[in-house]
Amino acid sequence: MGLTVAPFAGPATTPSGGVPGADPTLLAAIPGGRAALGDHFGDGYAGDGEGPVHEVQVSAFRLGTTTVTNAAFATFVDATGHRTTAEAEGYSAVFHTDVAAKVADVLGYSPATPWWVGVRGADWRHPEGPRSGIEDRADHPVVHVSHDDALAYARWAGRRLPTEAEWEYAARGGLAGKRYPWGDELMAGDTGEEWQVNIFQGSFPATNTAADGWTTTAPVTAYRPNGYGLHQMVGNVWEWCSDWFDPTAYDARATRDPRGPASGTVRVMRGGSFLCHDSYCNRYRVAARSAAPPDSTASNLGFRCAADSATDAVTDVATDKENHA
């Protein structure tokens, strides 16, 4: 299964924020500005509240160029002894074709989405179950992390989770009104066969052909970044945001640095994952929204960290590109 990934040799950014050296994830400077957020194409699901399209002003901030990796999360666990929600509960959700566990460890299937399986012993160290590991996946995104786990990591690192508005603004990479971080077309290249995102190929949920080279997660820098130097803002893993979810949030949203409601029952997730497919979960788009309870964990759920702006802390990726054009 040949993997065709667009090569990238971009400008370096500098680790910053929180405890020096604690979090190796690079931060890119995201310039402040205005953008029209929401679904420009009518692609979204009504219940997700992707509309109306609305203009917001976002202040400059910093965002991880990648999601937090297994290696970075291991450093956090080694330093703090943190025990994740999945470890405490003893199980987590794994996609049915990926399960690596004894039959006795398969606890049941979700009635509404039977391709999700509760697996005893599935956690960040064992993404598909007790018979799997991350020894060869240090540079893959950490998964099976709840919103609570993501917050604990961010606080340890002196960082935070991005707001939903920051996430979408950054995911667009400076492109106005596009479907994906790179434009409107899913595939790239002269022949239209170059994958730009890690999603499900084949017949969902039965057969994944892995045409892009991956059946589960891919390394966090496997695909070229967007205009702000951010890798895989769509596909690979869902990413927790700081906001509580409200499907009507856009109707009366603040125009400057908007945030979600003050309370709620589910937190915003963005970006889709390696399991998204246009026949079921067409949410590998920059406008797509979803949500889950903050204690939810699954084999396709991770996060990236944000931080407030610091003028001398990082390279502004967009500016650096202009200087080297």
Side-chain angles (χ1 to χ4, degrees):
M1 11 190 196
L3 170 63
T4 305
V5 177
F8 173 74
T13 52
T14 305
S16 179
V19 181
D23 185 347
T25 311
L26 304 178
L27 293 175
I30 311 300
R34 303 191 70 84
L37 306 186
D39 179 12
H40 292 253
F41 299 91
D43 292 334
Y45 303 99
D48 289 351
E50 292 186 29
V53 173
H54 56 290
E55 190 172 86
V56 300
Q57 175 79 33
V58 176
S59 299
F61 69 105
R62 294 175 286 157
L63 188 63
T65 57
T66 71
T67 51
V68 173
T69 64
N70 285 315
F73 199 78
T75 299
F76 158 65
V77 170
D78 290 344
T80 64
H82 180 82
R83 192 174 184 219
T84 62
T85 300
E87 290 170 301
E89 294 185 348
Y91 73 98
S92 190
V94 178
F95 192 66
H96 70 120
T97 60
D98 301 329
V99 173
K102 297 177 182 177
V103 172
D105 289 327
V106 177
L107 304 180
Y109 296 77
S110 168
T113 52
W115 44 86
W116 281 112
V117 184
V119 177
R120 182 187 291 114
D123 55 42
W124 74 274
R125 289 188 178 93
H126 309 93
E128 291 78 53
R131 291 180 170 176
S132 65
I134 57 171
E135 292 77 14
D136 60 347
R137 289 186 255 185
D139 60 347
H140 285 231
V142 66
V143 293
H144 294 291
V145 283
S146 68
H147 193 270
D148 299 330
D149 297 325
L151 282 178
Y153 180 98
R155 289 167 180 158
W156 166 77
R159 298 180 179 180
R160 58 179 175 82
L161 297 181
T163 67
E164 183 179 19
E166 286 177 331
W167 189 97
E168 183 175 335
Y169 176 85
R172 292 184 176 277
L175 299 180
K178 297 299 183 180
R179 181 176 276 116
Y180 306 114
W182 54 84
D184 290 334
E185 299 301 321
L186 180 62
M187 306 295 283
D190 294 338
T191 61
E193 297 178 351
E194 183 181 289
W195 285 97
Q196 304 186 90
V197 59
N198 179 20
I199 54 176
F200 193 100
Q201 301 92 43
S203 178
F204 185 90
T207 305
N208 185 356
T209 64
D212 63 359
W214 313 101
T215 54
T216 61
T217 58
V220 295
T221 58
Y223 299 88
R224 71 168 73 202
N226 72 1
Y228 291 150
L230 308 173
H231 292 268
Q232 300 193 83
M233 291 296 288
V234 297
N236 216 23
V237 293
W238 282 102
E239 300 180 19
W240 288 114
C241 291
S242 63
D243 302 42
W244 291 104
F245 178 78
D246 178 2
T248 66
Y250 294 174
D251 291 329
R253 205 177 196 187
T255 58
R256 185 176 183 86
D257 294 324
R259 297 176 181 273
S263 61
T265 59
V266 289
R267 294 282 190 179
V268 171
M269 305 186 306
R270 284 297 204 124
S273 79
F274 65 84
L275 292 175
C276 277
H277 187 273
D278 61 5
S279 69
Y280 174 73
C281 175
N282 182 23
R283 294 188 178 94
Y284 45 92
R285 299 169 289 106
V286 290
R289 310 175 73 207
S290 194
D295 61 350
S296 294
T297 61
S299 58
N300 65 340
L301 181 52
F303 68 102
R304 77 178 69 212
C305 288
D308 294 338
S309 181
T311 56
D312 60 349
V314 296
T315 299
D316 185 325
V317 175
T319 300
D320 195 80
K321 282 184 178 178
E322 291 174 3
N323 291 342
H324 291 83

